[in-house]
Amino acid sequence: MTKNRQESGLEDINVGVTLHDHIPGMPTARKTGSPATDSMWLKSDTAWLQEIDASTLEPVGVCTQQKLHHDLKGTLAAAHMRTDPVTGDYFNYNLEFGRQATYRIFKVSASTGKTEILATVQGIRAAYLHSFIITEKYLIFCIYSAYYAKGGVKILWTKNVVDAIDYDPNEKNKWLVIDRHRGKGLVGIFESDPFFAFHCVNAWDEPSTTQEGKTDVTLDISTYENLDILKRFWYENMKSTSPSALAYAGEHAGRARPSIHRYHLAGIGNSTIPVTNKPGKAELVFAAPKADSVELPTFNSTYACRPSRYIYGVSDCGNSVFLDGLIKFDTQTQTAKRRIRHAQSPGEPIFVADPEGKEEDDGCLLSVVLDGKAEKSYLLCLDAKSFEEVGRVEMEWVVGFGFHGHHVLPKK
């Protein structure tokens, strides 16, 4: 770990996409004797991780995934790591560019802090993967048709990731299923029609209904038809007075709006397979209307890796050139509840479960909302069941928009 913030320029390192209160196995840059709970960790879509003080939010250290394992020498990873809801084990991937891309999928044990490479996959294009899927048995990576052009070399002359990503609407998405318990590595390959996505929601295993001894997986994911969303949030496309914003308004608005898809992967086996294996079909169970779908999706995390019904997130319904509301989508009835207020732009909702709750939607949603009229922000609290406001905390300033937040329980 880098220890001296001023000498290392820690404040200049841009890794502020996701926030985690604990990553097992990570060395700390804090003074000896400081409890691990005094630190939090920032992640982005690179292999960098930044340690910050949990009270002041000041950076105190920075390192790459190679601190976890010497083979994790690639430059890219998922901003959204995954954690086993029972053991606390940490999972992510590391992508190394080269003559052929190398994906290394790894686990860090919460009990020992040791890192294990679960699978090394080559022969698949280097794709932009912001998140991936975890179930009780597997890690699942959807390799979108959004790939780094020229094997990643294009980044050198575009000087940014967005312009270095190409999209092939004729190439199917590939789904890689990685065993996370028995050391079998790659155990399943599927394909589906092409789409792009940032965020997976939840997924769960079930005994196969067609093949004895095998496993089926059901999963939800917020999808896009193409890469237009990457440029939708450029400054000139969000400014209401900008002519270029019209390209994402009116009849053109749907081009950059998500649709929640549910997929079913059937008949996952128990043996290692080569990446050249003939893929099975990822069956599309339903595609929700864009008007009912969300981005920055969340759910009751106590239902992680088991069947869940409700998905919460932000909406872009065309009432502004930015996010304009919050939605609760019911995957069972495929209906939606909405909270849309004029000139109110909400941030990512955070679900806080009721510790005494008996139903999945027992809890509340927290969202920092920009009040465009008052030119101030407030913290909104919604009842997750009724979707009605139960309270808010007004602020005397604007809270800048970020991507993701994190709710941490108070220390006992």
Side-chain angles (χ1 to χ4, degrees):
M1 289 290 291
T2 302
K3 294 184 178 181
N4 190 310
R5 175 166 58 90
Q6 292 180 337
E7 291 181 2
S8 61
L10 295 182
E11 294 176 333
D12 298 328
I13 297 174
N14 183 14
V15 288
V17 177
T18 57
L19 182 68
H20 310 278
D21 54 331
H22 177 60
I23 297 180
M26 288 303 302
T28 179
R30 303 185 66 84
K31 294 180 180 179
T32 304
S34 296
T37 52
D38 284 346
S39 288
M40 301 190 79
W41 293 90
L42 300 178
K43 274 286 289 107
S44 70
D45 293 312
T46 73
W48 287 95
L49 302 99
Q50 186 175 67
E51 183 182 13
I52 63 172
D53 185 286
S55 298
T56 67
L57 304 185
E58 289 185 312
V60 295
V62 66
C63 66
T64 70
Q65 290 177 339
Q66 272 197 293
K67 282 290 185 179
L68 296 170
H69 194 287
H70 58 83
D71 283 342
L72 303 178
K73 52 194 174 185
T75 55
L76 300 179
H80 292 272
M81 66 177 215
R82 296 302 182 196
T83 303
D84 186 302
V86 176
T87 66
D89 292 343
Y90 165 96
F91 299 89
N92 208 331
Y93 78 95
N94 178 271
L95 176 59
E96 182 183 4
F97 293 129
R99 295 186 65 182
Q100 58 178 344
T102 300
Y103 293 86
R104 294 183 179 91
I105 296 94
F106 66 93
K107 160 192 166 181
V108 184
S109 169
S111 59
T112 68
K114 293 183 178 179
T115 300
E116 174 188 359
I117 306 294
L118 300 177
T120 300
V121 179
Q122 295 180 322
I124 298 289
R125 275 179 166 175
Y128 171 62
L129 308 181
H130 183 66
S131 67
F132 57 97
I133 298 153
I134 186 172
T135 73
E136 184 178 341
K137 292 183 177 181
Y138 310 112
L139 304 174
I140 302 174
F141 296 81
C142 185
I143 310 299
Y144 312 118
S145 296
Y147 58 91
Y148 293 102
K150 310 295 183 183
V153 176
K154 191 175 178 180
I155 297 176
L156 296 177
W157 66 82
T158 63
K159 306 300 182 182
N160 70 83
V161 169
V162 172
D163 287 329
I165 298 176
D166 286 348
Y167 184 75
D168 186 348
N170 299 311
E171 182 176 335
K172 291 185 177 295
N173 286 359
K174 283 190 170 56
W175 304 71
L176 307 181
V177 183
I178 308 297
D179 170 65
R180 69 181 185 93
H181 291 296
R182 300 163 300 145
K184 298 295 184 180
L186 182 66
V187 294
I189 300 178
F190 295 83
E191 67 179 16
S192 67
D193 288 338
F195 63 81
F196 174 69
F198 289 113
H199 299 111
C200 311
V201 189
N202 193 25
W204 54 91
D205 305 314
E206 295 173 318
S208 177
T209 57
T210 58
Q211 302 180 59
E212 186 177 354
K214 295 190 175 183
T215 302
D216 295 348
V217 169
T218 301
L219 61 95
D220 295 325
I221 186 169
S222 187
T223 72
Y224 294 91
E225 298 172 2
N226 50 46
L227 299 185
D228 285 349
I229 185 60
L230 293 180
K231 297 180 180 179
R232 167 71 173 84
F233 292 122
W234 284 6
Y235 176 75
E236 60 265 31
N237 295 333
M238 290 192 297
K239 190 177 180 181
S240 60
T241 56
S242 171
S244 63
L246 296 175
Y248 299 91
E251 62 181 12
H252 306 294
R255 60 187 286 195
R257 289 180 183 162
S259 169
I260 294 173
H261 284 190
R262 171 164 287 182
Y263 282 93
H264 190 70
L265 312 183
I268 300 170
N270 303 306
S271 302
T272 304
I273 62 172
V275 74
T276 53
N277 233 42
K278 182 179 179 180
K281 180 181 179 181
E283 177 191 356
L284 178 61
V285 179
F286 69 75
K290 292 183 177 182
D292 296 338
S293 296
V294 301
E295 186 46 276
L296 305 179
T298 192
F299 68 106
N300 184 342
S301 62
T302 64
Y303 282 73
C305 299
R306 59 194 182 107
S308 58
R309 176 175 177 176
Y310 302 108
I311 300 173
Y312 305 87
V314 294
S315 67
D316 174 14
C317 295
N319 297 300
S320 73
V321 292
F322 196 53
L323 306 173
D324 54 24
L326 294 165
I327 285 179
K328 173 185 181 181
F329 181 70
D330 185 335
T331 63
Q332 183 172 307
T333 64
Q334 295 186 43
T335 57
K337 289 184 178 179
R338 297 173 178 81
R339 184 192 188 276
I340 298 175
R341 302 290 186 273
H342 178 65
Q344 311 288 296
S345 297
E348 176 193 42
I350 306 295
F351 188 99
V352 181
D354 182 345
E356 299 179 359
K358 295 183 173 18
E359 297 183 351
E360 182 185 337
D361 55 355
D362 284 337
C364 65
L365 285 179
L366 302 177
S367 175
V368 177
V369 181
L370 172 64
D371 184 335
K373 291 183 176 179
E375 297 183 349
K376 299 176 182 178
S377 296
Y378 60 90
L379 177 64
L380 172 70
C381 181
L382 296 180
D383 182 291
K385 186 182 293 291
S386 67
F387 226 50
E388 295 296 325
E389 180 175 343
V390 295
R392 67 171 66 184
V393 178
E394 302 279 358
M395 304 177 199
E396 293 302 317
W397 53 82
V398 170
V399 176
F401 277 94
F403 291 102
H404 300 287
H406 186 56
H407 178 263
V408 182
L409 293 173
K411 298 177 185 178
K412 295 182 179 179

